[in-house]
Amino acid sequence: MKVTFLGTGTADSFERAQSSILFEKEFSILIDVGNGALLRLGQLNKKPCDIKAVLITHIHLDHTGDLLPLLKARWLSGVKEELIMFAPYGFKNWFQSQLESSPYLRGKLKYEIIEVGEEKFEVCGFKVESVTTKHSVESRGYIVDGVLVTGDTSPFKELYEKDFEVIIHELSLPSGFSTSHTTPDNLVQFSDVLENKVVYFTHIYSQTLERIDEVMEKIGFGKVVSDLEWFVRE
Ligand SMILES: [Zn+2]
Ligand SMILES: [Zn+2]
């Protein structure tokens, strides 16, 4: 399995695409489709038809901004196959409201929505476990073939007790985000468990980037990733 970070920025990013990660085996799926994800897919020579399923962590713009554009690109390029979208409860209503405000898309987009709580399922040959996380809106993390993607969450012990070897963790700064995101201080508190895992940090605010050396020195483990970095897991 190859995992490529399409977007490693967040809502204030101009220099990075927003949250999106590509998982590839025989088929390709995405976790989140933030703004800029389509451009990054294009840089990898991917076509709209190549993405078979999408796992959405939560309905915030920096995680869903390119979702409708992906569906529209599939329509315009003649893809008949439905895009399977897994998402937290409430996603169907949100998606319907998007179509209500954009009548020209109604009846054109091919998709299936599956709302998930905490469950295990398979999609496109990937084994997935969805985990309820702690964010400001209904949210899920996903473990895909042993790789845990936290999405946006404040950290909690039960999350780290799940079965995974690699963790793709959100990173935020304390100011203004401490209630529903993960701060460097939080990560230090959980260093006992996380030090033994392969840890990639993503969802990097520009103010975090400005002091990234200081932030990473404080955390003491893991790696900050940039757009289009990738790793392979057997
Ligand atoms: Zn969020
Ligand atoms: Zn976010």
Side-chain angles (χ1 to χ4, degrees):
M1 172 173 78
K2 184 176 180 183
V3 180
T4 305
F5 299 95
L6 298 178
T8 57
T10 181
D12 72 344
S13 298
F14 274 56
E15 63 290 287
R16 291 173 177 235
Q18 298 180 359
S19 299
S20 188
I21 306 170
L22 172 67
F23 285 74
E24 292 175 274
K25 287 202 293 200
E26 183 184 355
F27 299 109
S28 299
I29 65 172
L30 296 179
I31 297 193
D32 287 336
V33 201
N35 287 320
L38 295 197
L39 186 63
R40 295 288 182 242
L41 283 171
Q43 288 175 296
L44 298 174
N45 294 316
K46 297 285 180 194
K47 301 277 180 286
C49 62
D50 291 331
I51 306 302
K52 307 295 183 194
V54 167
L55 313 178
I56 298 293
T57 62
H58 64 295
I59 309 167
H60 274 166
L61 196 55
D62 56 313
H63 299 256
T64 57
D66 262 0
L67 180 59
L68 279 166
L70 173 62
L71 283 158
K72 182 168 180 184
R74 288 166 64 86
W75 160 35
L76 293 180
S77 54
V79 181
K80 299 283 183 270
E81 204 180 2
E82 290 179 339
L83 181 72
I84 309 168
M85 299 189 277
F86 294 87
Y89 303 134
F91 182 84
K92 274 184 188 170
N93 281 344
W94 172 80
F95 196 83
Q96 197 55 37
S97 71
Q98 301 297 301
L99 295 183
E100 275 162 26
S101 60
S102 301
Y104 74 103
L105 295 176
R106 280 185 225 155
K108 305 290 196 308
L109 310 182
K110 304 277 185 228
Y111 61 89
E112 180 189 3
I113 295 173
I114 302 169
E115 293 181 341
V116 289
E118 300 221 320
E119 46 207 92
K120 291 182 179 175
F121 54 92
E122 274 200 45
V123 59
C124 301
F126 295 92
K127 284 192 169 59
V128 183
E129 180 178 354
S130 52
V131 184
T132 298
T133 49
K134 297 181 190 291
H135 195 37
S136 54
V137 295
E138 189 74 22
S139 59
R140 302 287 178 268
Y142 295 100
I143 305 170
V144 180
D145 286 356
V147 177
L148 168 58
V149 177
T150 66
D152 292 4
T153 186
S154 44
F156 55 101
K157 195 165 145 278
E158 295 77 11
L159 180 64
Y160 304 130
E161 287 170 352
K162 295 281 176 188
D163 190 14
F164 65 92
E165 288 96 49
V166 179
I167 182 166
I168 298 173
H169 209 306
E170 74 121 299
L171 173 61
S172 302
L173 277 180
S175 52
F177 305 114
S178 54
T179 55
S180 58
H181 282 284
T182 301
T183 67
D185 286 321
N186 296 147
L187 289 161
V188 171
Q189 283 165 21
F190 287 99
S191 59
D192 285 6
V193 270
L194 291 174
E195 272 173 350
N196 300 319
K197 309 283 186 183
V198 178
V199 186
Y200 296 103
F201 293 113
T202 184
H203 198 266
I204 314 295
Y205 284 90
S206 47
Q207 56 180 307
T208 313
L209 265 188
E210 285 164 14
R211 21 195 301 216
I212 196 66
D213 291 344
E214 177 197 333
V215 166
M216 290 312 293
E217 195 176 336
K218 182 180 181 81
I219 296 170
F221 59 88
K223 179 182 193 299
V224 175
V225 288
S226 298
D227 292 10
L228 298 180
E229 277 189 49
W230 53 273
F231 66 88
V232 170
R233 224 179 99 76
E234 298 307 324

